[in-house]
Amino acid sequence: MKFIFVAFIAFSLLCPLFSYAQESFGNLKVKSSALYQSTLDSQMTIKKISILPANDNVGGIYARPAEEQITQLINSDHRFQLGENQYAGSMISLDDLETNPQQVQDLAKGISSDAIMACRITKGPDGIQVHLSLFLKADGQLIAREVIKEKPTASIVNIRSAIKDLFSKVIKQIPYDGLVLSRNNSLVTINLGKENGLQVGQTLTAVLLIKATRHPKLHFLISTDKDVLGKIKLQKVDDAISFGQIITEKEFGAIQKDTKISGVEFVQYEAPLGDSFNAPKSAPDKKISFGDNPQEWRPSQPPSFGKVGAQLGIGQARNNTTLQSAGALNGRDSLYPSVKLYAELWLTSEWIFDFEMKQGIMSFNNPGGSPSKLSGNESAYLLSFGYNFMVQDDFFGPSILVSLGFANYKLDVDSSSPLTFNSTSYNGMFLGLKGTMPVTDDKKWNLGASLKYFITSKLSESPQSSGSSSNTITQFSILGFYQKNTKLRFTGSLDFSLFSSRFGGGGSRPDPATDASQKYTTLLGGIEYLF
């Protein structure tokens, strides 16, 4: 009886221990962990994609086949489902969607998809441009955008081929390759298979997306920071699905359903040329890899904030005044130096702010008094704000800038006895129009022109006034630049400026003036830095 009592007590004490051991070591049950979650990772979980109605500028000739091709591509990719395309409200241009995430969210209200794909096809004199973009529904942000240019006579077949190429590039910019579909103990199922290039025995990386870096102006996804959660080794691979075992894990239960899979495609490099650290000087990358002072190579980011520039110039200046008694008085400098400094700030890819300053020094002959030579100082200051129309959806391609601005032009001239030329200050509001376009296939050489139309113009004079005036300001420039690299340009321009006034009397000049004009022709050359 005593033995039975002792056995009962021992059994009562050991049962909880056996139960705990079985739970901890026998079944290896995985408990979900909230530690390895992030808002970005959750938003980037893309299983279903909807398509916005495609649009073109040729009455839907290209839009309908393009939309059909995108539908077919989504249906043929086992990683995604095709979502419904019932959108609230009127359709919005692709440019507006890319710059305004709220419009994407408003447009996608009521749909259950995780992402939205939009396509636009534009036919112009230089060819057909196909533009494909992918947006997240959760925050309306742009994930990826790709643009391709076809020949001017592109067929429907070519458009479908271009869509297929763009679709592949856009999908590859999603910052992971696949998802964990389920987990049972240490075994996982993945929505990738032989169609994605997987093989038995391959090791994949499970990651958590923690931070996104976007283009500062165009807003598409540049890169993401990832936290490695563990490694998965594939044991069985079917066409569209794979089964693997977790071989390492950051913490028990870190890999869960919808965990992102990375590392399907590895970066490959060319085989080294023998002993790479003693490679011959003829090696293609000798300038960055070899020599006495080898330097690390870093990719150059395209400029996205603006540019600054400086130009030196030589020009001709003419200063004319007609007096009632003395007649026409003409002063001229055939060769005077000038310098121009300017800056351009790209608030967005469309909205641009400009500032310009110019200084010049000249010497006029004095036809009506003493001294025989009069020194002059030219100065100009301009501020403008404009909208940039991109002809081919390429910021550095053909474009037309329409702007509104204010300018002040001042010419200080020495006094003479009797007075020949007044010092003058012209100012006013202007409408600006500037167009540039590449003239070579590599887009290094560009030509353009600019025009300023002054909607208001005002003149002030010193030391004497010529009375009330009617003023006209005309400015025109021929422009050109050579793109040395992504940050540096060599620039040139030929500028023409004309300021003219007709006087109505009532001034303080002893010999009243009837009209006056100033004409400048300047050839400038310089350099621009884009940042």
Side-chain angles (χ1 to χ4, degrees), residues 50-109:
S50 289
I51 308 171
L52 280 177
N55 66 81
D56 60 28
N57 61 347
V58 287
I61 295 176
Y62 296 118
R64 286 186 289 272
E67 191 172 338
E68 292 172 359
Q69 181 68 19
I70 298 172
T71 301
Q72 180 182 343
L73 290 168
I74 294 177
N75 282 328
S76 63
D77 194 321
H78 58 267
R79 293 172 294 177
F80 308 109
Q81 296 179 3
L82 181 65
E84 66 273 24
N85 58 357
Q86 297 177 354
Y87 299 95
S90 59
M91 296 306 298
I92 305 171
S93 73
L94 191 52
D95 290 335
D96 290 338
L97 292 177
E98 290 183 351
T99 56
N100 192 336
Q102 185 59 49
Q103 289 185 335
V104 177
Q105 292 179 295
D106 293 342
L107 196 63
K109 285 181 178 177

Side-chain angles (χ1 to χ4, degrees), residues 426-478:
Y426 286 90
N427 61 72
M429 301 288 296
F430 67 85
L431 290 174
L433 184 66
K434 181 172 76 172
T436 58
M437 65 175 297
V439 293
T440 57
D441 292 338
D442 58 7
K443 297 185 179 181
K444 288 185 176 293
W445 292 95
N446 289 253
L447 290 178
S450 71
L451 174 69
K452 294 181 179 66
Y453 173 77
F454 281 78
I455 52 181
T456 64
S457 56
K458 182 180 179 181
L459 169 66
S460 59
E461 300 176 288
S462 66
Q464 297 177 358
S465 170
S466 301
S468 60
S469 62
S470 173
N471 311 300
T472 302
I473 303 175
T474 304
Q475 285 197 319
F476 176 76
S477 298
I478 300 173

Side-chain angles (χ1 to χ4, degrees), residues 102 111 119 126 135 235 254 258-259 267 309 415 421 426 449 507 518:
Q102 185 59 49
I111 69 169
C119 178
D126 296 329
F135 304 89
Q235 296 179 330
D258 291 337
T259 293
V267 179
S415 296
F421 302 117
Y426 286 90
Q518 299 166 20

Side-chain angles (χ1 to χ4, degrees), residues 31 165 441:
K31 297 180 180 180
D165 184 32
D441 292 338

Side-chain angles (χ1 to χ4, degrees), residues 174-444:
I174 297 175
Y176 59 89
D177 300 310
L179 298 171
V180 172
L181 297 178
S182 64
R183 172 172 180 166
N184 181 18
N185 298 330
S186 62
L187 300 178
V188 293
T189 306
I190 301 169
N191 69 341
L192 301 168
K194 293 179 182 178
E195 296 177 1
N196 307 104
L198 297 190
Q199 299 177 357
V200 173
Q202 186 174 349
T203 300
L204 304 178
T205 304
V207 299
L208 178 75
L209 308 180
I210 56 177
K211 182 181 178 182
T213 301
R214 296 184 174 276
H215 191 282
K217 297 300 178 183
L218 303 179
H219 308 296
F220 59 84
L221 201 64
I222 295 176
S223 64
T224 53
D225 292 348
K226 302 179 178 74
D227 189 7
V228 176
L229 300 182
K231 298 287 185 179
I232 300 171
K233 188 171 184 178
L234 300 181
Q235 296 179 330
K236 186 176 185 298
V237 178
D238 292 337
D239 289 340
I241 199 170
S242 297
F243 306 91
Q245 183 166 9
I246 300 172
I247 55 176
T248 62
E249 193 171 14
K250 191 166 187 178
E251 184 178 316
F252 190 68
I255 298 176
Q256 311 169 33
K257 180 183 176 182
D258 291 337
T259 293
K260 311 300 182 292
I261 299 298
S262 183
V264 172
E265 294 184 6
F266 289 91
V267 179
Q268 297 183 355
Y269 304 98
E270 294 182 1
L273 301 174
D275 184 356
S276 60
F277 291 99
N278 295 295
K281 293 183 178 180
S282 60
D285 56 353
K286 61 183 177 63
K287 292 183 179 181
I288 59 173
S289 299
F290 308 105
D292 296 333
N293 296 296
Q295 299 293 322
E296 177 187 11
W297 179 84
R298 295 175 181 265
S300 177
Q301 294 292 334
S304 56
F305 293 99
K307 66 180 181 180
V308 292
Q311 291 182 320
L312 296 176
I314 53 173
Q316 293 183 347
R318 297 186 63 177
N319 195 356
N320 306 314
T321 299
T322 302
L323 305 179
Q324 288 184 359
S325 299
L329 303 176
N330 302 316
R332 179 172 181 173
D333 190 335
S334 299
L335 194 66
Y336 79 95
S338 64
V339 60
K340 182 192 290 187
L341 303 175
Y342 55 93
E344 193 173 275
L345 181 62
W346 306 331
L347 305 177
T348 68
S349 56
E350 290 85 18
W351 295 103
I352 294 176
F353 177 78
D354 272 314
F355 169 75
E356 181 180 312
M357 177 180 69
K358 182 182 178 183
Q359 295 285 334
I361 300 174
M362 58 199 68
S363 178
F364 297 111
N365 59 299
N366 184 3
S370 178
S372 60
K373 287 286 186 181
L374 300 175
S375 297
N377 178 33
E378 172 203 18
S379 61
Y381 302 92
L382 293 85
L383 289 171
S384 66
F385 184 70
Y387 186 85
N388 186 41
F389 293 91
M390 294 177 286
V391 178
Q392 295 181 349
D393 221 358
D394 179 3
F395 185 79
F396 297 102
S399 64
I400 299 174
L401 178 65
V402 179
S403 59
L404 175 67
F406 176 82
N408 179 267
Y409 304 92
K410 191 173 182 180
L411 177 64
D412 291 318
V413 183
D414 289 346
S415 296
S416 62
S417 181
L419 180 67
T420 306
F421 302 117
N422 266 324
S423 293
T424 60
S425 177
Y426 286 90
N427 61 72
M429 301 288 296
F430 67 85
L431 290 174
L433 184 66
K434 181 172 76 172
T436 58
M437 65 175 297
V439 293
T440 57
D441 292 338
D442 58 7
K443 297 185 179 181
K444 288 185 176 293

